Amino acid sequence: MAGLDLTGKRAIVTGASSGIGRATAAALADAGVRVAGGARRVGRLESEIALELDVTAPASSERFVAKAVEQLGGLDILVNNAGLALGRAPFDESSEEDEATVFAVNVTGLVRMTRLCLPHFGDWGHIVNMGSVAGRQAYESGATYVSAKFAERGFTYALREDLLGRPIRITTVDPGLVETDFSLVRFKGDEEKASAVYRGVEAIQPDEIADCILFALTRPWHVNVDEIVVKARNQSSGGRILRDG
Ligand code: NAP
């Protein structure tokens, strides 16, 4: 992809063990970026530096950032990608445990990782937060995930205000339907329900979201791509998807 040369930059990618995070870590490496990937399933990480990370746990997050920055020798890019939804049902079927997990990963975890990484940026930084179309337009039976992704977008813009004047760009990437393990996690391992999400519609592939992230990262240094919203062609919102048959 033409644009700013990322060779030699140093990146942290959270949730790099699967889906969008794994594709992003690979695309960054292809662009000459040194990548430290983090996730709980450390055995699934394929990045040059692979470290255990649970973004919901302060000690794990602190340990991860310290080790990653030490091994990278600094930090230029943070991709706050780790996230999940749990359940797809009207809100009165929600549970204390699922609510706590969804907010802990998507919101508190992302905020924590940003706070821990910020002191390590030098004179060239870029933070990419993984939002969702769910964070822009509510859809039915997704209340906690929708709220969490609205919070992510609010945080991104608040951070943009607080970082204004510092050499750190910030972008939220807000995808629609992407074919990953997201639905398998959302439906707690129910493969039938998970595969139905992608039936009869051509979903976005994880490397196509990685391309969007690379686009933002490679713009000329004076350009800040605030947000990228990308949906499947046959999708107009999180809740409206046209399917064949
Ligand atoms: P995925 O394939 O299930 O990947 C999710 C990643 O998040 C995994 O690597 C997982 O790693 C990591 N993760 C979950 N909990 C974590 C924790 N406590 N600590 C550290 N890492 C954790 O799903 P995906 O679609 O690629 O999701 C990536 C991001 O894209 C999420 O923020 C999601 O909300 C967003 N998104 C997805 C879609 C979609 O349609 N797929 C659409 C819009 C936005 P471990 O389980 O190994 O820890």
Short mmCIF file of all heavy atoms in Angstrom, two decimals, residues 24 32 43 47 55 70 117 176 183 189-190 201 204 208 221 233:
data_model
loop_
_atom_site.label_atom_id
_atom_site.label_comp_id
_atom_site.label_asym_id
_atom_site.label_seq_id
_atom_site.Cartn_x
_atom_site.Cartn_y
_atom_site.Cartn_z
N THR A 24 -4.14 -8.28 11.42
CA THR A 24 -3.47 -6.98 11.53
C THR A 24 -2.01 -7.16 11.90
O THR A 24 -1.13 -6.49 11.34
CB THR A 24 -4.20 -6.11 12.58
OG1 THR A 24 -5.56 -5.94 12.16
CG2 THR A 24 -3.55 -4.75 12.73
N GLY A 32 6.87 -4.30 7.43
CA GLY A 32 8.17 -4.00 8.04
C GLY A 32 8.10 -3.55 9.48
O GLY A 32 9.09 -3.07 10.04
N GLY A 43 -0.44 -19.52 22.82
CA GLY A 43 0.01 -20.52 21.84
C GLY A 43 -0.50 -20.24 20.43
O GLY A 43 0.02 -20.80 19.47
N SER A 47 2.96 -13.61 16.08
CA SER A 47 3.77 -12.41 15.92
C SER A 47 5.21 -12.66 16.38
O SER A 47 5.49 -13.61 17.12
CB SER A 47 3.16 -11.24 16.71
OG SER A 47 2.72 -11.70 17.97
N VAL A 55 -6.47 -8.40 29.04
CA VAL A 55 -6.68 -6.95 29.20
C VAL A 55 -7.60 -6.62 30.37
O VAL A 55 -7.67 -5.47 30.80
CB VAL A 55 -7.21 -6.28 27.90
CG1 VAL A 55 -6.22 -6.41 26.76
CG2 VAL A 55 -8.59 -6.80 27.51
N GLU A 70 10.01 -3.44 26.25
CA GLU A 70 11.44 -3.77 26.43
C GLU A 70 11.95 -4.54 25.19
O GLU A 70 13.00 -4.23 24.64
CB GLU A 70 11.60 -4.62 27.68
CG GLU A 70 13.06 -4.85 28.06
CD GLU A 70 13.22 -5.94 29.10
OE1 GLU A 70 12.23 -6.23 29.81
OE2 GLU A 70 14.31 -6.53 29.16
N CYS A 117 0.24 2.27 27.77
CA CYS A 117 1.13 2.45 26.60
C CYS A 117 1.53 3.90 26.37
O CYS A 117 2.63 4.15 25.84
CB CYS A 117 0.45 1.89 25.34
SG CYS A 117 0.40 0.09 25.32
N GLY A 176 -18.41 -3.58 10.14
CA GLY A 176 -19.68 -4.32 10.22
C GLY A 176 -19.36 -5.80 10.33
O GLY A 176 -18.54 -6.20 11.15
N SER A 183 -18.44 -14.60 16.34
CA SER A 183 -19.79 -15.14 16.58
C SER A 183 -19.73 -16.43 17.40
O SER A 183 -20.62 -16.70 18.21
CB SER A 183 -20.51 -15.37 15.26
OG SER A 183 -20.74 -14.12 14.64
N GLY A 189 -19.67 -20.93 21.81
CA GLY A 189 -19.26 -22.22 21.24
C GLY A 189 -20.32 -22.90 20.39
O GLY A 189 -20.07 -23.96 19.84
N ASP A 190 -21.50 -22.30 20.24
CA ASP A 190 -22.57 -22.91 19.43
C ASP A 190 -22.27 -22.66 17.94
O ASP A 190 -22.53 -21.57 17.41
CB ASP A 190 -23.92 -22.30 19.82
CG ASP A 190 -25.09 -22.98 19.13
OD1 ASP A 190 -24.94 -23.42 17.97
OD2 ASP A 190 -26.18 -23.05 19.73
N VAL A 201 -24.56 -14.25 2.89
CA VAL A 201 -24.04 -12.89 2.71
C VAL A 201 -22.52 -12.97 2.66
O VAL A 201 -21.91 -13.79 3.36
CB VAL A 201 -24.50 -11.95 3.86
CG1 VAL A 201 -24.01 -12.41 5.21
CG2 VAL A 201 -24.07 -10.50 3.59
N ILE A 204 -17.10 -9.40 5.34
CA ILE A 204 -15.74 -8.86 5.22
C ILE A 204 -14.77 -9.88 5.81
O ILE A 204 -15.10 -10.55 6.79
CB ILE A 204 -15.64 -7.52 5.99
CG1 ILE A 204 -16.70 -6.53 5.50
CG2 ILE A 204 -14.25 -6.92 5.89
CD1 ILE A 204 -16.89 -5.34 6.43
N GLU A 208 -9.12 -7.71 5.23
CA GLU A 208 -9.67 -6.49 4.62
C GLU A 208 -9.80 -5.37 5.68
O GLU A 208 -9.70 -4.19 5.35
CB GLU A 208 -11.01 -6.80 3.94
CG GLU A 208 -10.79 -7.70 2.71
CD GLU A 208 -11.99 -8.49 2.25
OE1 GLU A 208 -13.01 -8.58 2.98
OE2 GLU A 208 -11.91 -9.06 1.14
N TRP A 221 2.06 12.10 7.60
CA TRP A 221 2.11 12.33 9.04
C TRP A 221 1.16 13.45 9.52
O TRP A 221 0.64 13.41 10.64
CB TRP A 221 3.56 12.61 9.45
CG TRP A 221 3.76 12.96 10.89
CD1 TRP A 221 4.38 14.07 11.39
CD2 TRP A 221 3.37 12.17 12.04
NE1 TRP A 221 4.39 14.03 12.77
CE2 TRP A 221 3.77 12.87 13.18
CE3 TRP A 221 2.69 10.96 12.20
CZ2 TRP A 221 3.54 12.41 14.48
CZ3 TRP A 221 2.45 10.49 13.49
CH2 TRP A 221 2.87 11.21 14.60
N ARG A 233 -21.12 -5.16 1.72
CA ARG A 233 -21.93 -4.41 0.76
C ARG A 233 -23.42 -4.63 1.01
O ARG A 233 -24.21 -3.69 0.92
CB ARG A 233 -21.56 -4.80 -0.67
CG ARG A 233 -22.18 -3.88 -1.72
CD ARG A 233 -21.85 -4.31 -3.15
NE ARG A 233 -22.50 -5.56 -3.49
CZ ARG A 233 -21.88 -6.73 -3.62
NH1 ARG A 233 -20.58 -6.81 -3.47
NH2 ARG A 233 -22.56 -7.83 -3.92
#
